């Protein structure tokens, strides 16, 4: 049977013309009818009846920015250090991992998601710490924000990083005497360190994608937008990633839609990647016609580019990864080739740079290019106005609030705290915002994201009343972050993101109705079934 009739549930359409429905009919990949009459149902033949039994049906969840392959790779091959409460615990966890997996000398040992804010020592890892794990293995660890890595001496030696090399690279951490301290920042992580890591095969990457997309679909997602080109740094791995997606799609084994965000650090790299991207067709299951640029770092790493110095310093403003002329080349190339531009911007100095560069080409090439600022956390009122005028979108991460609000007060002067993470202000000014997780930085659970967008608080309720509560969203607005708006962000607003006749049958079935659930309990709702293109698992 190719037809399915879903009935006896709460159907939330996200369609302004018909906000709810009593039933819907799927035929093949599409929704062919919404709200059938009793007479129309009576006339149906060869239909599978799907009794929702009081559950809630919404458009499929859609994460507008994550790192799918990095999430899957971390889960399969790396030590999760997010629970480490001290540097000693990091050392023991990594040593146990080596012993349990019997990793031979000369192997790479990867640890992810550590956070010095959780360490009793309250400091970053260094090469001296990691040398205690092993001097026979290549030890690589990455902070939760993914903008700082710490490596051991053996790996520094492999990469040729010593007192006399890379002296001009500000992304190589050093002791006062000039010796590398093992801390690696921003582009140097991929450009210098991970270049030496042996690449995974296409088949190994296919396994990561297959496992991860199945997991994600089980949590209610029918689509994700993924930044994967920096998951591994060597050029062969970048091509292998695209080949793996293409193979799975061609075999009918890609269970959700994936919109690749092609992250690069230079125009030369972008042109190299374009050579093999030309060979990979784009369709509604896999596409790659968007450019992702990392303009600055993160708050947790104190590398977000700020206009004023970080608290407690007189000259530390964070890091801008591109000079204006470099960024201008990339943005112009994207606009000339009808590619969407996305800029990672945390600090207001990075946001200013994005507005300055993108604004030039928005005016020249026309408005409906839907340029996007990813994160857009430390924003001024003037910047919000400029974004609205230039029809920029923002890809926000609601789950960052409970993780970040304490750190923000420690790092930024109060005078600079205009509506940090200003979601309601953006909506009120007509800026379209879509929801994402930045996984593996935070959980990709959309229901947790919806809750934190509405409460602006952690699960335990802190801070009381929510952080900057005037920026809270309604549950309906938050639900739109993960359904309708991401569809618009990839120019598919007439195909996905709503339950509407003619739209693709991308649906999520929830065991409770989020519109009728207390906001602080939304995270307890579960996805019980997900459809993508009419295929339900």
């Amino acid at each position: 049977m190719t037809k399915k009739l879903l009935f006896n549930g709460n159907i939330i359409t996200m369609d302004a013309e018909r906000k709810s429905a009593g039933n819907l009919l799927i035929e093949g990949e599409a929704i062919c009818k919404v709200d059938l009459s009793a007479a129309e149902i009576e006339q149906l033949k060869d239909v599978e009846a799907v009794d929702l039994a009081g559950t809630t049906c919404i458009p499929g969840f859609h994460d507008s920015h994550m790192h799918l392959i990095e999430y899957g790779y971390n889960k399969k091959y790396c030590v999760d250090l997010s629970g480490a409460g001290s540097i000693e615990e990091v050392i023991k966890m990594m040593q146990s991992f080596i012993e349990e997996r019997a990793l031979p000398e000369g192997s790479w040992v990867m640890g992810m998601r550590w956070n010095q804010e959780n360490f009793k020592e309250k400091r970053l890892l260094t090469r001296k710490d990691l040398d205690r794990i092993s001097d026979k293995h290549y030890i690589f660890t990455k902070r939760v924000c993914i903008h700082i890595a710490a490596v051991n001496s053996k790996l520094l030696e492999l990469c040729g990083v010593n007192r006399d090399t890379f002296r001009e690279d500000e992304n190589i951490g050093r002791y006062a005497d000039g010796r590398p301290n093992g801390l690696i920042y921003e582009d140097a992580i991929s450009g210098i360190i991970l270049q030496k890591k042996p690449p995974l095969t296409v088949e190994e990457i296919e396994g990561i994608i297959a496992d991860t997309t199945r997991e994600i679909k089980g949590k209610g997602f029918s689509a994700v937008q993924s930044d994967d080109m920096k998951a591994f740094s060597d050029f062969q791995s970048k091509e292998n990633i695209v080949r793996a997606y293409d193979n799975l799609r061609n075999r009918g084994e890609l269970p959700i839609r994936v919109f690749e965000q092609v992250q690069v650090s230079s125009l030369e790299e972008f042109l190299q990647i374009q050579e093999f991207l030309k060979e990979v067709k784009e369709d509604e299951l896999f596409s790659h016609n968007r450019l992702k640029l990392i303009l600055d770092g993160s708050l947790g790493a104190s590398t977000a580019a700020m206009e004023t110095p970080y608290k407690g310093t007189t000259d530390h403003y964070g890091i801008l990864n591109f000079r204006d002329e470099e960024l201008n080349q990339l943005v112009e190339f994207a606009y000339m080739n009808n590619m969407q531009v996305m800029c990672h911007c945390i600090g207001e100095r990075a946001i200013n740079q994005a507005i300055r560069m993108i604004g030039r080409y928005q005016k020249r090439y026309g408005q409906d290019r839907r340029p996007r600022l990813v994160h857009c956390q430390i924003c001024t009122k003037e910047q919000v106005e400029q974004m609205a005028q230039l029809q920029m979108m923002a890809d926000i991460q609601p789950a960052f609030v409970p993780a970040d609000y304490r750190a923000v007060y420690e790092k930024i002067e109060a005078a600079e705290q205009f509506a940090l993470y200003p979601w309601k202000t953006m909506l009120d000014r007509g800026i379209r915002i879509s929801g994402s997780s930045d996984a593996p930085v935070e959980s990709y659970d959309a229901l947790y994201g919806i809750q934190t967008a509405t409460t602006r608080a952690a699960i335990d309720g802190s801070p009381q009343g929510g952080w900057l509560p005037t920026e809270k969203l309604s549950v309906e607005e938050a639900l739109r972050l993960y359904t309708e708006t991401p569809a618009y962000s990839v120019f598919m607003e007439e195909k996905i993101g709503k339950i509407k006749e003619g739209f693709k049958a991308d649906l999520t079935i929830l065991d409770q109705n989020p519109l009728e659930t207390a906001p602080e309990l939304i995270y307890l709702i579960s996805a019980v079934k997900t459809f993508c293109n009419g295929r339900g698992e």
Side-chain angles (χ1 to χ4, degrees):
M1 285 184 195
T2 61
K3 293 182 181 179
K4 298 181 180 71
L5 178 68
L6 280 61
F7 66 99
N8 190 29
N10 306 303
I11 299 176
I12 302 171
T13 67
M14 306 310 293
D15 178 9
E17 297 176 1
R18 182 195 279 124
K19 291 192 173 184
S20 62
N23 55 59
L24 66 93
L25 181 66
I26 299 173
E27 183 169 5
E29 297 180 353
I31 299 166
C32 62
K33 186 73 174 176
V34 177
D35 254 349
L36 287 76
S37 67
E40 287 173 318
I41 293 173
E42 187 68 27
Q43 293 174 6
L44 292 175
K45 296 179 181 179
D46 298 324
V47 174
E48 177 187 348
V50 180
D51 187 350
L52 294 174
T55 57
T56 295
C57 178
I58 64 172
F61 284 141
H62 183 160
D63 189 309
S64 68
H65 175 66
M66 69 182 306
H67 305 268
L68 185 151
I69 289 176
E70 189 162 359
Y71 170 85
Y73 179 84
N74 289 0
K75 191 169 184 180
K76 190 170 186 176
Y77 295 103
C78 304
V79 187
D80 183 356
L81 300 173
S82 60
S86 67
I87 292 171
E88 291 299 320
E89 284 187 40
V90 168
I91 293 167
K92 290 177 182 177
M93 291 167 75
M94 297 287 283
Q95 288 174 334
S96 296
F97 185 78
I98 293 170
E99 293 171 7
E100 290 165 5
R101 300 206 177 190
L103 297 177
E105 293 181 3
S107 300
W108 282 64
V109 187
M110 314 283 282
M112 302 294 175
R113 304 190 73 237
W114 56 270
N115 187 347
Q116 81 281 5
E117 302 295 336
N118 298 332
F119 295 165
K120 68 179 182 181
E121 296 90 347
K122 297 296 181 186
R123 67 170 175 83
L124 300 170
L125 295 171
T126 69
R127 65 187 291 183
K128 292 179 181 178
D129 302 318
L130 303 188
D131 286 348
R132 293 174 55 199
I133 297 169
S134 172
D135 59 3
K136 303 293 193 299
H137 298 80
Y138 299 116
I139 308 296
F140 175 92
T141 68
K142 192 180 283 188
R143 191 183 182 277
V144 62
C145 66
I146 71 176
H147 290 267
I148 298 181
V151 305
N152 71 342
S153 297
K154 184 174 178 66
L155 185 48
L156 288 173
E157 182 180 355
L158 175 71
C159 298
V161 179
N162 56 49
R163 187 196 301 266
D164 301 316
T165 62
F166 303 102
R167 293 292 301 179
E168 303 304 316
D169 195 329
E170 65 179 341
N171 290 325
I172 303 292
R174 296 183 183 276
Y175 296 115
D177 63 3
R179 290 179 302 126
N181 61 16
L183 288 169
I184 312 294
Y185 300 86
E186 303 299 335
D187 272 356
I189 297 172
S190 58
I192 296 174
I193 304 300
L194 291 179
Q195 286 284 351
K196 295 293 185 178
K197 187 178 183 301
L200 294 186
T201 65
V202 173
E203 292 74 18
E204 288 172 320
I205 297 172
E206 284 180 18
I208 292 171
I209 295 170
D211 290 346
T212 307
T213 50
R214 280 195 299 268
E215 176 189 326
I216 288 171
K217 189 172 186 180
K219 291 290 189 179
F221 287 89
S222 59
V224 298
Q225 300 180 46
S226 188
D227 174 352
D228 296 315
M229 288 296 102
K230 295 292 187 179
F232 314 111
S233 298
D234 62 287
F235 189 75
Q236 186 60 55
S237 289
K238 298 177 195 303
E239 183 171 354
N240 289 353
I241 287 169
V242 176
R243 301 295 180 200
Y245 276 123
D246 192 33
N247 292 346
L248 291 169
R249 184 258 310 274
N250 293 340
R251 296 199 301 262
E253 297 173 7
L254 192 60
I256 62 175
R257 305 180 195 281
V258 178
F259 303 90
E260 183 64 34
Q261 300 171 348
V262 181
Q263 186 199 141
V264 300
S265 301
S266 68
L267 183 58
E268 179 184 12
E269 181 184 13
F270 193 27
L271 293 174
Q272 282 184 301
I273 291 173
Q274 287 301 305
E275 287 304 307
F276 62 78
L277 285 179
K278 291 175 184 176
E279 303 172 16
V280 178
K281 72 173 184 178
E282 296 187 276
D283 62 15
E284 294 171 353
L285 271 180
F286 179 69
S287 67
H288 49 71
N289 194 38
R290 52 200 65 83
L291 168 66
K292 171 76 182 302
L293 303 169
I294 307 291
L295 269 55
D296 67 346
S298 73
L299 278 177
S302 297
T303 53
M306 308 299 295
E307 294 288 0
T308 56
Y310 278 85
K311 189 180 287 187
T313 76
T314 58
D315 59 356
H316 181 57
Y317 295 83
I319 295 173
L320 273 181
N321 292 320
F322 292 94
R323 298 190 306 274
D324 275 7
E325 53 268 31
E326 295 172 323
L327 189 60
N328 182 72
Q329 279 187 322
L330 283 157
V331 173
E332 183 176 27
F333 181 89
Y335 270 82
M336 289 175 62
N337 290 275
N338 201 31
M339 298 186 74
Q340 187 180 36
V341 176
M342 306 177 61
C343 292
H344 162 116
C345 306
I346 300 284
E348 80 269 37
R349 186 156 60 106
I351 294 171
N352 276 335
Q353 188 183 40
I355 290 171
R356 192 166 60 247
M357 294 294 104
I358 290 173
R360 177 182 305 171
Y361 295 102
Q362 275 289 90
K363 293 169 184 175
R364 182 181 303 178
Y365 286 91
Q367 294 295 303
D368 195 25
R369 296 301 188 94
R370 304 180 192 180
R372 297 157 59 183
L373 302 189
V374 182
H375 308 308
C376 203
Q377 290 175 219
I378 313 302
C379 222
T380 68
K381 293 178 182 178
E382 292 74 21
Q383 288 172 334
V384 170
E385 292 297 329
Q386 290 171 313
M387 288 175 63
Q389 291 168 12
L390 293 170
Q391 296 184 23
M392 288 180 164
M393 298 185 66
D395 295 291
I396 69 165
Q397 297 71 41
F400 279 17
V401 164
D404 279 0
Y405 76 90
R406 291 187 181 90
V408 168
Y409 286 119
E410 293 173 1
K411 293 176 180 289
I412 302 172
E413 295 297 337
E416 300 302 316
Q417 289 174 0
F418 157 70
L420 305 174
Y421 310 81
W423 309 326
K424 185 65 173 175
T425 298
M426 288 180 174
L427 280 184
D428 289 345
R429 291 297 299 120
I431 296 172
R432 296 178 188 265
I433 60 175
S434 58
S436 64
S437 60
D438 206 16
V441 175
E442 290 292 340
S443 166
Y444 65 78
D445 187 341
L447 291 154
Y448 178 61
I450 291 167
Q451 173 166 320
T452 50
T454 58
T455 64
R456 292 180 66 97
I459 288 174
D460 65 6
S462 61
Q464 188 174 3
W467 187 49
L468 301 173
T470 57
E471 296 295 338
K472 291 180 182 179
L473 303 185
S474 69
V475 176
E476 184 175 351
E477 288 169 336
L479 188 57
R480 204 171 300 280
L481 298 180
Y482 293 91
T483 54
E484 181 186 359
T485 316
Y488 181 88
S489 76
V490 289
F491 299 87
M492 286 191 69
E493 68 270 22
E494 297 300 324
K495 294 184 178 181
I496 60 175
K498 298 178 184 177
I499 296 176
K500 189 173 182 179
E501 293 169 9
F503 276 53
K504 296 294 185 180
D506 289 10
L507 308 167
T508 298
I509 313 300
L510 304 174
D511 62 0
Q512 298 176 58
N513 185 344
L515 298 181
E516 297 177 355
T517 302
E520 65 273 13
L521 299 177
I522 289 174
Y523 79 101
L524 295 173
I525 298 174
S526 296
V528 296
K529 193 175 184 68
T530 310
F531 293 85
C532 178
N533 258 356
R535 292 169 50 190
E537 278 95 14

